[in-house]
Structure formats: C-alpha cells, structure tokens
Amino acid sequence: MTDPATQESYPVPDPTIVDPCPATVRNGQCPPDGFTNNHHQQAKTPSQPELFTTGQEMKITDSVEGEGLLESSMRLKPHEAQSYRKKALWVSWISIVVTLILAVAAFSKHLKYFDATLDVLSSVIVLWRYSNAAAVHSAHREYIACVVLGIVFVLSSLCILGKAIHDLATRVPPEVDDFLFSVSIVSGLTCAVLAVAKFMLGRVLTSRALITDGFNSLVGAIMGFSILISAEVFKHHTDVWFLDGTIGVLIGLIILAYGVKLLKDMVPRVRQTRNYERFE
C-alpha cells in the first residue's frame, strides 16, 4: 500500500491552475473556450467579403492615382471605358460645331462672345484628352488637360472682364433685335444641354477636364440668357443700363477664380505623375 505521508510530500498539481492560454491573456482573464480557434477560423475564412471604410477607400483612390491612373480604372470595365470615351468625343465635337456657328452669328452682329471662344477651346482640349484610346484612365494626361484649361480660363476671364468694364465705362446699353434674340435662345438652351451631358460623362469617367468643360458650357448658357434679361429690364427701366456689364464682370471673376483654383490643384499633380506613363 502507498504511504499516506508520501502522498502529502508529493502532492498532485491541480490541473485547474494550469494556464491553457498564456498568449491570449487580456487583463488577467482568458477568453472563453474555443475563442482562439474560432477567432483564427474567422480570420482565415476567404468567403467573407471585405468591407472598406471611407478612409480605406480614399487610400485606395490615392494609391491608384499615385500609379498614374484615375479612379475610373477601378470602376469601369475596358469596353465601358471606351464607350464613354467615344461619347465624350462626340459631345465635344457637337459642342465645337454648334458653338462655332453661334459665334459666327454673334460676331456678324459685332458682338464679341468671348465665352463662345472659351467653349471651343475647352472642347478642343477635351478632344486631345480622349484622342488616345489607351490613355482613357491616364491621370497625367488628365492633369495636363486641366492645367491648359486653367490657363485658358484665366486668359478668357481677362478678356471678358475687359469687355464688361469697357461697356460699363462707356455706358453701353444692351440691345437685342429679333435675330440676336433667336441666337441667344438657341445658345442658352444648347449650352445647357451640353453642360448636363458633360457633367454626367465627367462623373462617370472621373474626369475633371470634362466637368470643367461642362462648367464652361453652363457659363455660356447663363451669358446667353443674361443678355435677354438685361435687354428686357432696360426696355422697361432705362436707368438699369449697367445690368449686362455687371453680369459680365461677375462671370469674368467666377471664371478667373475657377481657373486659378484649377491651376493650383493640378500643377502639383502633373509633377507627381510625370513619371507615370502607364496606360490601360
């Protein structure tokens, strides 16, 4: 038989005091049984979709642009991107043709529509932007187009401001005959439709150049209708001769501010992406 004293001298260790999870102790407590295994199984399950927070989405966008590609490269399939690129080209061509016709009609009446010239130039820049099918997602090409647009906006705003200030200084009243009335109506409606189309395409292609071109078409629509409004107000109140010139000054300042902001945002990005000429 076993000596009781021997059992007391060599006690059997209590299994309950053995730490089964020394690596996962938090605040002096072990997780429940099976937690560690379940935790590892959940972490390794590949079938669960990965959810991204807003911050993570921004990091993804930044990383894509850092590689010389726009965010549209993650959203659109290749055939979808090419389809929207062709639509952007068609809208730009339509914008150029229509604006040139309206500009010729306006110049025939000795009215210098600087906004018409600006609309043509901005559409030509968009044509260059999407002329290369392989560069539809190129961030570098996009930023170059935006820089050129910014320069054109600044120069055009100075012309618009100069004409508006001249009209205010010489007290030129707004005069609209039947022909100019028709031209202004067509110009305002056409530019409004083109602006909507450019905004929609610019959003899909994540193209600030297209959105800027749409903003320019919107300005053209406003200027087309502003002439009619100014002439109608002057017809009933001859002392409000300055309304057309004042609107011209405001529009010139808005275009100037937009152009300066565009240059401020895009010039650094052109430098950042100048080494990335990888197109999809």
Side-chain angles (χ1 to χ4, degrees):
M1 295 184 59
T2 307
D3 188 359
T6 306
Q7 294 181 356
E8 293 179 1
S9 301
Y10 302 98
V12 179
D14 187 355
T16 59
I17 66 173
V18 178
D19 187 0
C21 51
T24 57
V25 173
R26 293 295 182 270
N27 297 325
Q29 295 181 355
C30 275
D33 294 340
F35 172 83
T36 305
N37 294 333
N38 292 336
H39 176 71
H40 288 300
Q41 290 175 358
Q42 292 177 0
K44 295 180 181 179
T45 302
S47 60
Q48 294 180 352
E50 186 175 2
L51 301 178
F52 296 101
T53 62
T54 303
Q56 290 173 327
E57 291 177 353
M58 290 299 296
K59 291 180 181 178
I60 292 174
T61 302
D62 293 341
S63 64
V64 170
E65 291 185 354
E67 294 177 359
L69 300 176
L70 295 175
E71 188 179 352
S72 58
S73 62
M74 299 178 60
R75 296 181 177 181
L76 300 177
K77 298 178 181 178
H79 69 278
E80 293 176 338
Q82 293 303 322
S83 176
Y84 284 114
R85 182 188 73 88
K86 293 177 181 178
K87 291 178 182 178
L89 292 175
W90 273 107
V91 169
S92 297
W93 275 117
I94 294 173
S95 180
I96 290 174
V97 172
V98 172
T99 306
L100 283 176
I101 294 174
L102 295 174
V104 170
F107 276 117
S108 67
K109 285 293 181 178
H110 306 289
L111 296 172
K112 297 184 178 181
Y113 272 7
F114 293 106
D115 60 304
T117 305
L118 175 59
D119 200 3
V120 171
L121 291 176
S122 62
S123 295
V124 169
I125 295 170
V126 172
L127 280 178
W128 171 84
R129 162 67 182 90
Y130 288 103
S131 60
N132 188 348
V136 64
H137 298 305
S138 170
H140 187 66
R141 196 178 183 92
E142 174 75 17
Y143 299 152
I144 290 178
C146 289
V147 168
V148 178
L149 281 171
I151 295 174
V152 171
F153 268 46
V154 171
L155 295 178
S156 298
S157 67
L158 297 179
C159 296
I160 294 174
L161 285 171
K163 180 182 180 299
I165 293 173
H166 174 269
D167 291 345
L168 290 174
T170 56
R171 301 175 68 91
V172 176
E175 297 179 357
V176 178
D177 56 14
D178 293 338
F179 177 77
L180 183 58
F181 180 85
S182 302
V183 171
S184 299
I185 289 292
V186 173
S187 175
L189 293 176
T190 304
C191 288
V193 173
L194 289 172
V196 173
K198 292 173 182 178
F199 283 139
M200 293 176 63
L201 289 172
R203 183 172 182 178
V204 173
L205 291 169
T206 60
S207 171
R208 185 146 180 200
L210 261 174
I211 293 176
T212 299
D213 193 20
F215 170 78
N216 179 62
S217 296
L218 180 62
V219 169
I222 294 174
M223 293 192 73
F225 290 124
S226 68
I227 297 176
L228 301 178
I229 296 174
S230 299
E232 189 65 22
V233 172
F234 179 74
K235 185 186 298 185
H236 298 86
H237 304 279
T238 55
D239 56 332
V240 193
W241 54 269
F242 53 84
L243 182 59
D244 186 45
T246 303
I247 294 176
V249 170
L250 292 176
I251 291 177
L253 292 175
I254 292 173
I255 294 176
L256 177 62
Y258 193 101
V260 172
K261 180 68 166 56
L262 199 61
L263 290 173
K264 182 180 178 182
D265 292 343
M266 295 300 156
V267 169
R269 297 189 180 187
V270 170
R271 295 174 180 174
Q272 292 173 0
T273 59
R274 60 187 174 186
N275 295 327
Y276 294 97
E277 291 296 333
R278 191 186 70 180
F279 301 142
E280 286 190 351

